[in-house]
Amino acid sequence: MLRQACRCLLRSANGRNAVRARSFSTDAPAVPAVDSTFIEAWKKTIPNIEPPKTPFSYMKPRPPTPSSIPSKLTVNLALPYSSVLSSKEVDMVIIPATTGQMGVLPGHVATIAELKPGVMSVHEGNDVTKYFISSGFAFIHPNSFADIVAVEVIPIDHIDPASVQKGLAEFTQKLSSAVTDLEKAEAQIGVDVHSALNSALSG
């Protein structure tokens, strides 16, 4: 019994070491990911409606890691229902990571960053385009590609300041009068998002 347990532990340790030794997924040839099991199940259940697309459905397969650092960063910005930027070559992006504002240049190390409500700025020469991001994730690949998946994105100049102030006041009032944990959590999210929107307009 003890020998069998030891053999199992050794196999488990060897498996973990093999996983650690694997190269980054970004080094492997990139092909569009298709969940055939999900699609088949969807078509059997709802044959008259096309299966829903994921954000990665809007992204082109990325090329292999180059031997030298490119001069441009290629950015994909996708929502669950559309693509905002597709293979856009830029000089730099600054994203609102939960750890703080994060600048991404060509040649950035592979990183996954959770995004908080805030401003993402896209730099192309002297031009800077700013978007407000509600939340999401950024996947920075070693081949100077950045895939940013967000829940909602809106250009800063499309935000209505009056609606932001009204929403901030409403959620602040809800937070002060909240009783249950759920009410407090929902109100706090509303305050955080509208505060970030307000900062984006004044920044």
Side-chain angles (χ1 to χ4, degrees):
M1 189 77 169
L2 183 59
R3 277 194 218 122
Q4 288 177 346
C6 289
R7 278 199 295 270
C8 289
L9 286 172
L10 283 172
R11 279 200 299 269
S12 177
N14 289 335
R16 284 196 297 270
N17 289 336
V19 170
R20 289 194 191 103
R22 266 189 333 193
S23 59
F24 285 114
S25 61
T26 47
D27 294 334
V31 294
V34 177
D35 189 346
S36 56
T37 305
F38 170 75
I39 291 176
E40 288 174 9
W42 178 278
K43 288 183 177 179
K44 287 179 182 178
T45 308
I46 316 175
N48 299 326
I49 301 177
E50 286 295 313
K53 292 184 178 181
T54 65
F56 287 105
S57 301
Y58 300 96
M59 297 178 180
K60 297 178 182 178
R62 57 189 179 272
T65 303
S67 57
S68 60
I69 297 176
S71 60
K72 296 289 185 178
L73 175 73
T74 303
V75 178
N76 296 304
L77 175 58
L79 304 178
Y81 52 86
S82 67
S83 176
V84 180
L85 299 175
S86 179
S87 297
K88 180 78 171 176
E89 292 190 342
V90 302
D91 296 315
M92 177 179 68
V93 294
I94 299 176
I95 55 177
T98 53
T99 53
Q101 291 297 104
M102 175 179 169
V104 181
L105 292 163
H108 197 285
V109 296
T111 306
I112 298 177
E114 183 181 358
L115 305 179
K116 65 180 180 180
V119 176
M120 182 186 94
S121 56
V122 180
H123 297 250
E124 298 178 78
N126 295 325
D127 297 330
V128 179
T129 306
K130 293 185 177 182
Y131 300 90
F132 181 82
I133 290 182
S134 63
S135 61
F137 286 89
F139 303 88
I140 314 302
H141 308 289
N143 56 1
S144 293
F145 269 62
D147 295 330
I148 300 168
V149 183
V151 177
E152 290 292 346
V153 172
I154 183 171
I156 291 295
D157 55 6
H158 290 188
I159 300 173
D160 178 18
S163 297
V164 172
Q165 292 295 333
K166 180 181 177 182
L168 181 57
E170 289 177 355
F171 279 104
T172 301
Q173 176 60 34
K174 287 181 180 178
L175 183 59
S176 62
S177 60
V179 177
T180 66
D181 289 341
L182 178 60
E183 290 174 345
K184 291 176 182 178
E186 290 176 342
Q188 186 63 60
I189 291 171
V191 169
D192 291 345
V193 172
H194 283 80
S195 296
L197 279 165
N198 196 40
S199 298
L201 291 172
S202 59

